[in-house]
Amino acid sequence: MSQQRTPLIAGNWKMNGRLEDGAERAEDLAGRMQAKGGGGFQMLLCPPATLLTAVGAAIADSGIFLGAQDCHFNDSGAHTGDISAAMLADLGCSHVIVGHSERRADHGENDALVNAKAAAAIAAGLIAIVCVGETEAQRDAGETNQVVAGQARGSVPDGANAGNLVIAYEPVWAIGTGRTPTAAEVQAVHAMIRATMAGITNDQTAAGCRILYGGSVKPGNAAELLSLADVDGGLVGGASLSADDFWAIATAAG
Ligand code: PEP
């Protein structure tokens, strides 16, 4: 963590939650945030689209940010089932995740599409959280830096800056598996991403841009991961489905 970048602790609920438990969890976290007061870290909840309105209502005035898990790259049009970034902004979202490895795998999303989605998010006034990360086979082949840097170069849109872009480094093999890279490995990849960002954008953006770690972040490993110099928060999947666990992770950041 650095003094200059406020840690962001983001919960990706994925396709989990119904109205009752989703709103309840959000209210629980909102109460804790209000009791804590500002400073230390920012918290973001990214529920499924069906829960955005209810979660948005539950966290109103708590300081917790609302985000979505995906958006379309067009503002409107004949795209059945899709939701645009402008529509998410209408609902009170401030952030949207794009290029999560599950979307890259399940929906065949490539860097060009992720780039277009991130550009649309930024144009709609949202902060785009662009996900990158290598598979286990790529790591075993020694290709981590090449793959992750390539994804960042392909997925970060023109016009991105420290205020409208967050990168999430999520090794695919660490997501939902209980396995994580070592702290030294995480720090090395994050530093490499920051150096890559300097090439894609400029030194100021690279220095200010938050790079989150994601992949089996739990209360037990959060303090170590979040203490790393180039780790500026976490993108948390499974553990964000428990208010106690997610709060323990967030407070490990500050
Ligand atoms: C994720 O999918 O964004 C994620 C990090 O999941 P988990 O924390 O469950 O590994």
Side-chain angles (χ1 to χ4, degrees):
M1 269 183 299
S2 99
Q3 304 287 9
Q4 104 184 83
R5 300 181 293 267
T6 305
L8 175 64
I9 307 298
N12 173 13
W13 291 5
K14 309 192 184 187
M15 196 173 70
N16 293 296
R18 304 290 291 273
L19 262 184
E20 202 177 332
D21 60 296
E24 203 175 292
R25 188 182 316 124
E27 271 164 26
D28 182 333
L29 290 164
R32 298 187 202 214
M33 270 306 259
Q34 269 158 341
K36 176 188 173 292
F41 59 86
Q42 294 179 343
M43 178 175 281
L44 167 68
L45 298 182
C46 300
T50 50
L51 295 184
L52 283 170
T53 301
V55 169
I59 62 177
D61 303 323
S62 69
I64 300 178
F65 294 97
L66 181 68
Q69 299 173 14
D70 181 47
C71 66
H72 197 272
F73 60 87
N74 278 326
D75 252 11
S76 62
H79 303 287
T80 303
D82 279 313
I83 301 175
S84 75
M87 291 169 172
L88 297 174
D90 264 356
L91 284 182
C93 289
S94 51
H95 297 65
V96 61
I97 299 167
V98 292
H100 190 281
S101 62
E102 287 154 12
R103 292 212 58 92
R104 290 178 187 260
D106 294 354
H107 300 274
E109 296 193 1
N110 60 19
D111 292 338
L113 181 58
V114 175
N115 188 309
K117 290 182 176 207
I122 291 170
L126 302 181
I127 296 173
I129 302 179
V130 171
C131 300
V132 295
E134 82 287 359
T135 63
E136 185 156 29
Q138 289 164 334
R139 172 162 283 249
D140 289 347
E143 295 169 357
T144 298
N145 285 359
Q146 179 195 330
V147 168
V148 171
Q151 288 176 333
R153 280 191 207 98
S155 304
V156 170
D158 292 343
N161 60 47
N164 62 25
L165 180 87
V166 171
I167 300 280
Y169 168 56
E170 300 205 304
V172 178
W173 54 273
I175 294 178
T177 60
R179 297 163 58 207
T180 61
T182 65
E185 287 167 342
V186 170
Q187 168 54 27
V189 176
H190 278 235
M192 183 279 297
I193 293 171
R194 200 173 300 287
T196 304
M197 284 297 296
I200 300 170
T201 57
N202 54 58
D203 287 348
Q204 194 189 354
T205 295
C209 183
R210 286 176 294 180
I211 305 175
L212 313 184
Y213 169 77
S216 297
V217 178
K218 307 283 179 209
N221 61 18
E224 183 182 30
L225 290 164
L226 295 173
S227 72
L228 299 170
D230 285 292
V231 173
D232 309 309
L235 181 52
V236 184
S240 72
L241 297 175
S242 152
D244 284 343
D245 286 356
F246 192 53
W247 186 253
I249 290 167
T251 50

